[in-house]
């Protein structure tokens, strides 16, 4: 096994350092886009062999420091890495590699790990990438899990194919991530679940989730769960389940003096059959590059233009809250007014009925007298 590139030979970073893993047979698709949309970062790309390094296109090799070797041999501390993006693996991470990720993530607050998986469709990623992603989630102490099924969308999809999910990033529970974002491609994704202290799995929904957990991407309300492989049985979702299904989420993990961030997605930002970085698919203009930039800026704490958007989002949320409160007040007032009007109408009808009865009663009395 070739050792990682020696740290002293690497120039001092000029941006915030991010490591992208290509050492587990991830394809390259979309990585050049991600590097371009976050030029503030100092990009490190890890490949397995010197041959892999030579095969990198200029769009990647010329814009990143290329490391060669095993993830467990890379000194993430000396490199100052603040974020690791571990795209949909095609080969399993070793116990030593997982241990290295855990040690790095928990050594200091403010770090971020993005792990991507897949659906259970037996293709490029499949159930194995789901299992490996869950292995990392458990090791780092994250409650999030990728369930062993597939998510489709009968309404929001490309070319009428339910597995080509045009997911919604503008529903994120993290306001900054919604900036400039509409729909993003999650091609054949898996759904996100969570595990409680007793080991029981649950669907991740706005009303059922653990503390410090945030939903980031979902299907439309017409999402549906399907089963494509019998290698692993589902734990939280079942075939035929429908609704807005969570496809990406984040959890804040307590570390010394604060929190680090773990992100889990049912599709990969790069290297998948068709990654999240996609900007157009079957004629649909998508927010993939913008969304990934938002995630990276937020997760690293660098923020960039998101600082100003955060202020605007807070203001918008406050205005929205006040408008809703006003609407509720108006509704209550209107309901009260309508109630009084209805009561007045009933009283008027009763009065009219009584007034109509009086002459008749008088007439009847006269007749009886005669």
């Amino acid at each position: 096994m070739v050792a990682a590139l020696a740290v002293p030979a690497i120039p001092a970073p000029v941006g915030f350092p991010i490591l992208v893993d290509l050492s587990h047979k991830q394809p390259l698709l979309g990585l050049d886009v991600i590097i371009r949309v976050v030029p503030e970062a100092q990009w490190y790309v890890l490949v397995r062999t010197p041959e892999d390094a030579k095969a990198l296109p200029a769009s990647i090799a010329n814009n990143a420091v290329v490391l060669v070797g095993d993830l467990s041999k890379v000194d993430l501390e000396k490199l100052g890495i603040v974020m690791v993006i571990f795209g949909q693996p095609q080969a399993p991470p070793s116990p030593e590699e997982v241990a290295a990720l855990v040690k790095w993530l928990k050594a200091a607050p403010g770090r971020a790990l993005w792990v991507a998986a897949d659906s259970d469709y037996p293709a490029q990623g499949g159930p194995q990438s789901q299992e490996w992603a869950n292995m990392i989630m458990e090791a780092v102490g994250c409650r999030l899990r990728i369930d062993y099924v597939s998510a489709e969308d009968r309404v929001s999809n490309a070319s009428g194919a339910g597995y080509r999910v045009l997911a919604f990033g503008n529903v994120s529970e993290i306001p900054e991530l919604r900036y400039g974002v509409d729909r993003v491609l999650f091609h054949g994704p898996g759904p996100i679940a969570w595990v409680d202290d007793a080991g029981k799995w649950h669907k991740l929904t706005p009303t059922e989730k653990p503390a410090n957990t945030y939903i980031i991407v979902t299907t439309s309300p017409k999402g549906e769960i399907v089963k494509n492989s019998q290698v692993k049985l589902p734990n939280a979702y079942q075939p035929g389940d429908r609704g807005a299904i969570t496809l990406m989420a984040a959890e804040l993990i307590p570390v010394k003096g604060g929190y680090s961030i773990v992100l889990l997605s049912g599709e990969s930002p790069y290297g998948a059959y068709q990654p999240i970085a996609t900007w157009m698919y079957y004629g649909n203009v998508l927010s993939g590059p913008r969304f990934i930039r938002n995630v990276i800026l937020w997760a690293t704490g660098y923020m960039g233009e998101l600082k100003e958007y955060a202020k605007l989002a807070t203001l918008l949320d406050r205005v929205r809250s006040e408008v809703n409160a006003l609407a509720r007040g108006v509704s209550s007032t209107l309901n009260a007014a309508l109630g009084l009007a209805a009561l007045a109408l009933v009283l008027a009808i009763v009065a009219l009925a009584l007034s109509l009865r009086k002459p008749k009663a008088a007439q009847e009395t006269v007749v009886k007298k005669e």
Side-chain angles (χ1 to χ4, degrees):
M1 182 175 294
V2 181
L5 189 64
V7 173
I10 299 174
V14 295
F16 51 94
I18 300 176
L19 178 85
V20 177
D21 183 67
L22 290 177
S23 68
H24 295 86
K25 298 185 178 180
Q26 298 98 329
L28 301 175
L29 187 61
L31 180 54
D32 57 338
V33 174
I34 296 173
I35 290 174
R36 288 200 306 271
V37 298
V38 192
E40 300 97 324
Q42 170 64 66
W43 290 98
Y44 293 89
V45 174
L46 177 65
V47 297
R48 183 66 66 171
T49 68
E51 290 72 28
D52 293 334
K54 292 177 183 178
L56 290 174
S59 60
I60 294 174
N62 293 345
N63 294 289
V65 175
V66 180
L67 306 176
V68 180
D70 185 282
L71 183 58
S72 65
K73 303 297 192 300
V74 178
D75 196 327
L76 300 174
E77 290 294 336
K78 285 188 178 180
L79 292 177
I81 300 297
V82 297
M83 184 175 191
V84 173
I85 306 178
F86 195 89
Q88 188 183 97
Q90 311 299 309
S94 68
E96 293 78 15
E97 289 177 307
V98 175
L101 283 175
V102 174
K103 181 181 178 181
W104 162 79
L105 185 71
K106 296 193 172 183
R111 296 176 177 180
L113 172 64
W114 183 352
V115 177
D118 198 7
S119 70
D120 75 331
Y121 187 79
Q124 180 174 295
Q128 285 189 317
S129 74
Q130 293 180 317
E131 188 173 358
W132 297 331
N134 286 338
M135 179 174 66
I136 296 173
M137 291 297 103
E138 183 175 3
V140 300
C142 182
R143 292 174 179 263
L144 299 175
R145 297 290 186 274
I146 186 87
D147 207 357
Y148 301 107
V149 287
S150 303
E152 297 189 357
D153 199 311
R154 294 177 295 158
V155 172
S156 186
N157 61 60
S159 73
Y163 61 90
R164 295 171 179 155
V165 179
L166 303 184
F168 290 85
N170 57 2
V171 299
S172 173
E173 294 179 338
I174 301 166
E176 294 88 340
L177 300 188
R178 300 195 296 259
Y179 174 51
V181 169
D182 185 17
R183 295 189 297 178
V184 291
L185 181 64
F186 273 60
H187 190 287
I192 308 300
W194 65 281
V195 179
D196 64 24
D197 292 337
K200 183 179 179 181
W201 289 51
H202 305 265
K203 300 173 184 176
L204 187 67
T205 70
T207 57
E208 187 180 13
K209 60 178 185 172
N212 297 322
T213 303
Y214 303 89
I215 293 171
I216 296 176
V217 177
T218 74
T219 67
S220 79
K222 297 294 184 180
E224 183 173 4
I225 296 296
V226 301
K227 184 72 177 147
N228 289 304
S229 169
Q230 299 305 317
V231 172
K232 299 280 289 186
L233 296 178
N235 293 284
Y237 298 87
Q238 295 299 324
D241 287 350
R242 294 179 178 177
I245 299 163
T246 301
L247 303 179
M248 181 173 176
E251 183 175 354
L252 303 183
I253 305 297
V255 298
K256 301 173 184 177
Y259 293 90
S260 285
I261 298 169
V262 177
L263 298 132
L264 179 62
S265 58
E267 183 52 278
S268 185
Y270 65 92
Y273 176 82
Q274 194 69 41
I276 298 172
T278 302
W279 76 275
M280 179 180 283
Y281 199 56
Y282 282 91
N284 296 279
V285 177
L286 303 168
S287 305
R290 172 80 255 179
F291 171 74
I292 291 174
R293 175 173 172 82
N294 288 358
V295 171
I296 291 172
L297 294 180
W298 170 77
T300 59
Y302 180 77
M303 293 297 282
E305 68 272 14
L306 297 186
K307 293 178 182 177
E308 293 305 313
Y309 179 74
K311 298 175 186 176
L312 178 60
T314 301
L315 178 61
L316 289 174
D317 286 343
R318 187 184 309 155
V319 169
R320 190 178 295 112
S321 177
E322 291 175 357
V323 168
N324 289 337
L326 179 61
R328 286 193 296 269
V330 170
S331 177
S332 299
T333 303
L334 182 59
N335 288 337
L338 289 174
L340 290 174
L343 178 60
L345 180 60
V346 169
L347 291 175
I349 292 172
V350 171
L352 178 61
L354 290 174
S355 67
L356 291 175
R357 285 187 63 187
K358 287 179 180 178
K360 184 177 180 181
Q363 184 181 9
E364 288 175 352
T365 303
V366 171
V367 170
K368 286 179 181 178
K369 286 182 179 180
E370 291 178 351

